[in-house]
């Protein structure tokens, strides 16, 4: 995306690093995340308008602790240090960092001592989200303390001569209510951002990049049934037309009636020719006896590749395989951009077996989920399709902890369909970000009529989020939950108990596996 202004985010291992990136893009500023040790010469070459130093799990005094190059602060670029990034900057520039008397994690109230740049236009007191074990005891020489809290004397400092700005808390999380305004101040007041990052611009550039890379060859695009792969197919069709072949794989792990819905939506509604590959038996057979979540994901990924390899043989000059891989998929699978901890692997991340001879095309790889929806609107996809809740690539397999069987899939499909139907009927489907049912590997005693039962437990899950990097559980009305639970127990053979998941992310994940 070389035609846009660029902000660089250097990653020191925080799980929130990609959330910083999302917040920056919300301000219409293009950003890239790179390891903390990106060479200074490379930073000069990229000519960013500013740099953000992310948080991180370590202490600046740990052996081998990640630190930026001191020369970074001599480039004359605005630098914002967040949490660990603040401490790293303070230590390198002559300040003092000490261990806190206790680790501070959660909401805190700060007092703005000097508005400066970051707190310009905000109140005298702000609620923020803390997560740190060390604290800055003395700022670098020449810096001004901008904020303090009851437990920490220096929550922020700035040095306009160095164009350095630092805060101890996380402005990128929703728990810091005015965090977006603080980041906006850094981007527009300190960095002089022009706000030139738009989905319309991304579409034009992404289509051009695909055309240049693909040339006259063909592309095989895998359709999983979700929004991401559909947007990928629509973008590729815009870019290369009939050089695209889209294959929809029926894994047997789709939501109830989803195969018919996807085929109708893509082929009839969007005009994208789709070939359906029936592979239910293949996937369920490969998953027999597999219980470990990572093993299940890897098994599904392997079978996907087998199916694509088989389908590709039906066409000539297929050189590329397209996938709907997104930024969070990449980040949660591997620390490719820095020392961030791995959360889980994704079936469509990590490359392809060399035997296939395919090259990957992933035009959405650096977009977040809500950006993909914006892109879909730019491509003209109907709102009823774009507005569908996200569905994981591995399908219902990650919503069935333990072994996956055809009978378990049947139970979950029926329970999930009832839950979603009740949400729609009550007008809640559009209000929440993602909702689904989970079939637990638990059986409980129940009573139905005059008989004792010993059957399955279904968990209902609903979350609200803007970026899917963090999420809060949905406070659904009790009567809605009651109707859904009552219908599931009465209508789904094999279920006698329903529970509701009230865990946010973090500490949990949105999906159960």
């Amino acid at each position: 995306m070389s035609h846009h202004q660029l902000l660089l985010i250097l990653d020191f291992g925080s799980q929130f690093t990609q959330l910083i990136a999302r917040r920056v893009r919300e301000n219409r500023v293009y950003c890239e995340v790179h390891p903390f040790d990106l060479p200074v010469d490379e930073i000069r070459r990229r000519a960013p308008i500013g740099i953000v130093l992310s948080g991180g799990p370590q202490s600046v005094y740990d052996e081998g602790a990640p630190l930026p190059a001191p020369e970074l602060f001599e480039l004359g670029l605005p630098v914002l240090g967040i949490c660990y990034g603040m401490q790293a900057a303070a230590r390198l520039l002559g300040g003092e960092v000490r261990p806190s008397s206790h680790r501070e994690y959660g909401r805190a109230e700060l007092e703005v001592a000097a508005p400066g740049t970051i707190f310009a236009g905000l109140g005298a007191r702000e609620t923020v989200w803390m997560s740190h074990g060390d604290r800055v005891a003395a700022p670098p020489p020449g810096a001004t303390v901008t904020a303090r809290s009851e437990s920490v004397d220096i929550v922020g400092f700035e040095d306009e001569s160095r164009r350095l700005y630092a805060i101890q808390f996380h402005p990128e999380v929703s728990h810091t209510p005015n965090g977006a305004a603080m980041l906006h101040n850094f981007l527009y007041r300190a960095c002089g951002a022009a706000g030139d990052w738009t989905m319309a611009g991304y579409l034009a550039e992404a289509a051009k990049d695909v055309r240049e890379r693909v040339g006259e060859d063909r592309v095989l695009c895998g359709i999983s049934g979700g929004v991401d792969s559909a947007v990928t197919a629509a973008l590729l069709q815009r870019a290369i037309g009939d050089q695209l072949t889209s294959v929809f794989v029926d894994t047997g792990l789709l939501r109830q009636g989803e195969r018919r819905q996807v085929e109708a939506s893509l082929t009839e509604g969007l005009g994208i020719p789709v070939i359906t590959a029936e592979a239910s038996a293949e996937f369920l057979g490969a998953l027999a006896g597999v219980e470990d979540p990572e093993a299940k994901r890897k098994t599904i990924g392997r079978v996907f590749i087998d199916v694509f390899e088989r389908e590709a043989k039906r066409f000539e000059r297929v050189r590329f395989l397209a996938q709907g891989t997104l930024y969070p998929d990449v980040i949660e699978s591997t620390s490719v951009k820095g020392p961030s901890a791995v959360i889980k692997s994704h079936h469509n991340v990590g490359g392809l077996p060399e035997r296939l001879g395919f090259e990957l095309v992933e035009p959405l790889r650096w977009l977040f989920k809500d950006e993909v929806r914006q892109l879909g609107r730019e491509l003209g996809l109907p709102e009823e399709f774009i507005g569908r809740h996200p569905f994981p690539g591995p399908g219902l397999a990650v919503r069935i902890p333990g072994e996956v069987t055809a009978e378990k899939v049947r139970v979950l499909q029926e329970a999930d369909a009832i839950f979603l139907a009740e949400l729609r009927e009550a007008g809640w489907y559009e209000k929440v970000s993602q909702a689904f049912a989970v079939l637990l590997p638990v059986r409980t005693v129940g009573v139905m009529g005059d008989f004792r039962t010993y059957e399955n437990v279904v968990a209902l899950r609903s979350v609200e989020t803007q970026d899917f990097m963090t999420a809060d559980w949905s406070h659904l009305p009790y009567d809605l939950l009651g109707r859904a639970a009552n219908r599931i127990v009465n209508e789904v053979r094999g279920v006698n108990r329903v529970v509701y998941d009230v865990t946010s992310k973090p500490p949990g994940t949105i999906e159960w596996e």
Side-chain angles (χ1 to χ4, degrees):
M1 299 299 119
S2 58
H3 301 297
H4 304 284
Q5 285 185 328
L6 167 67
L7 182 98
L8 290 179
I9 300 172
L10 301 188
D11 180 21
F12 290 87
S14 171
Q15 294 299 336
F16 296 137
T17 297
Q18 308 315 316
L19 188 50
I20 300 172
R22 185 63 202 96
R23 298 293 181 248
V24 170
R25 293 188 187 182
E26 285 175 356
N27 278 281
R28 297 182 56 157
V29 177
Y30 178 68
C31 62
E32 294 177 359
V33 178
H34 291 274
F36 69 93
D37 56 358
L38 184 69
V40 172
D41 286 345
E42 179 64 14
I43 293 175
R44 288 195 186 97
R45 188 188 70 79
R46 292 175 177 271
I49 61 172
I51 298 172
V52 173
L53 309 180
S54 83
Q58 294 180 270
S59 166
V60 293
Y61 295 112
D62 288 346
E63 183 178 353
L67 292 172
E71 296 81 10
L72 179 77
F73 302 99
E74 300 172 4
L75 296 175
L77 294 170
V79 176
L80 173 63
I82 296 175
C83 197
Y84 179 90
M86 171 187 183
Q87 298 161 11
R91 186 185 183 199
L92 288 174
L93 296 173
E96 184 180 357
V97 180
R98 294 179 183 173
S100 296
S101 58
H102 65 281
R103 179 175 174 82
E104 189 173 22
Y105 182 84
R107 287 184 174 86
E109 295 293 323
L110 66 78
E111 176 187 346
V112 177
T117 295
I118 301 302
F119 299 107
L122 301 181
R125 299 186 67 84
E126 290 291 335
T127 300
V128 298
W129 183 265
M130 296 282 198
S131 178
H132 65 96
D134 293 344
R135 62 184 176 84
V136 174
T144 300
V145 175
T146 56
R148 61 176 62 92
S149 71
E150 184 175 339
S151 58
V152 180
D153 291 334
I154 303 174
V155 176
F157 66 79
E158 297 183 6
D159 185 343
E160 287 291 350
S161 65
R162 284 197 179 103
R163 307 186 75 185
L164 174 63
Y165 312 88
I167 49 180
Q168 183 59 70
F169 56 90
H170 289 274
E172 67 273 22
V173 302
S174 59
H175 304 300
T176 300
N178 285 325
M182 298 170 194
L183 288 173
H184 186 276
N185 281 341
F186 175 69
L187 294 170
Y188 285 87
R189 290 175 180 267
C191 300
D196 59 1
W197 167 248
T198 66
M199 280 301 102
Y202 181 88
L203 171 57
E205 292 179 33
K208 178 175 179 290
D209 290 344
V210 168
R211 283 192 295 270
E212 291 177 351
R213 184 176 177 204
V214 170
E216 299 300 318
D217 291 301
R218 296 193 63 83
V219 177
L220 187 66
C221 180
I223 302 293
S224 67
V227 173
D228 304 336
S229 59
V231 172
T232 299
L235 190 156
L236 290 170
Q237 186 184 50
R238 172 79 62 91
I240 59 174
D242 59 9
Q243 291 172 247
L244 171 69
T245 299
S246 295
V247 176
F248 172 45
V249 179
D250 185 354
T251 64
L253 302 169
L254 301 171
R255 288 173 286 207
Q256 189 178 69
E258 192 153 39
R259 173 171 172 170
R260 294 189 300 275
Q261 181 187 25
V262 170
E263 290 172 335
S265 297
L266 294 181
T267 303
E268 301 169 17
L270 306 179
I272 300 176
V274 175
I275 297 170
T276 299
E278 169 54 60
S280 302
E282 198 169 344
F283 277 89
L284 290 171
L287 288 168
V290 181
E291 296 186 0
D292 179 74
E294 284 296 288
K296 287 199 292 188
R297 287 177 176 272
K298 287 178 169 33
T299 298
I300 291 168
R302 173 178 56 78
V303 178
F304 259 108
I305 294 300
D306 291 344
V307 173
F308 283 133
E309 182 179 26
R310 185 168 63 242
E311 292 299 320
K313 291 178 180 178
R314 300 169 54 187
F315 307 96
E316 296 181 355
R317 298 179 64 184
V318 175
R319 178 182 168 191
F320 297 93
L321 173 63
Q323 296 183 153
T325 307
L326 304 190
Y327 211 1
D329 299 339
V330 176
I331 297 309
E332 291 190 344
S333 296
T334 178
S335 302
V336 295
K337 291 292 187 180
S340 301
V342 174
I343 303 298
K344 61 186 175 182
S345 66
H346 286 256
H347 75 284
N348 58 343
V349 177
L352 297 170
E354 292 185 7
R355 64 179 169 80
L356 292 183
F358 289 148
E359 295 179 35
L360 277 178
V361 175
E362 299 172 309
L364 312 183
R365 187 178 179 87
W366 306 113
L367 294 183
F368 292 88
K369 285 184 180 289
D370 54 328
E371 290 179 311
V372 172
R373 294 178 189 277
Q374 294 174 37
L375 183 60
R377 294 183 181 99
E378 290 289 338
L379 286 160
L381 273 67
E383 191 62 36
E384 58 269 23
F385 191 88
I386 291 294
R388 295 166 65 216
H389 289 180
F391 189 62
L396 297 181
V398 297
R399 296 175 182 175
I400 304 175
E403 183 184 15
V404 178
T405 67
E407 174 61 13
K408 289 181 179 180
V409 171
R410 193 253 333 149
V411 171
L412 182 56
Q413 284 177 331
E414 293 180 11
D416 185 73
I418 290 172
F419 184 36
L420 297 184
E422 289 297 329
L423 285 170
R424 288 190 173 95
E425 179 66 24
W428 272 87
Y429 185 85
E430 291 77 15
K431 295 179 183 179
V432 302
S433 304
Q434 188 172 2
F436 53 91
V438 180
L439 181 63
L440 303 188
V442 175
R443 300 180 75 187
T444 66
V445 172
V447 177
M448 291 186 176
D450 296 324
F451 297 95
R452 175 186 183 275
T453 62
Y454 189 57
E455 295 181 331
N456 297 294
V457 180
V458 165
L460 304 181
R461 178 77 159 142
S462 180
V463 299
E464 297 173 18
T465 178
Q466 292 182 339
D467 45 61
F468 291 87
M469 298 297 290
T470 63
D472 291 322
W473 60 276
S474 304
H475 292 246
L476 298 178
Y478 290 152
D479 58 346
L480 168 57
L481 290 171
R483 285 194 304 273
N486 187 62
R487 283 194 59 195
I488 290 170
V489 169
N490 282 287
E491 298 177 28
V492 181
R493 188 179 72 256
V495 177
N496 69 355
R497 192 178 300 270
V498 176
V499 298
Y500 187 53
D501 183 351
V502 293
T503 311
S504 294
K505 175 185 180 182
T509 54
I510 295 176
E511 297 289 348
W512 276 50
E513 287 191 343

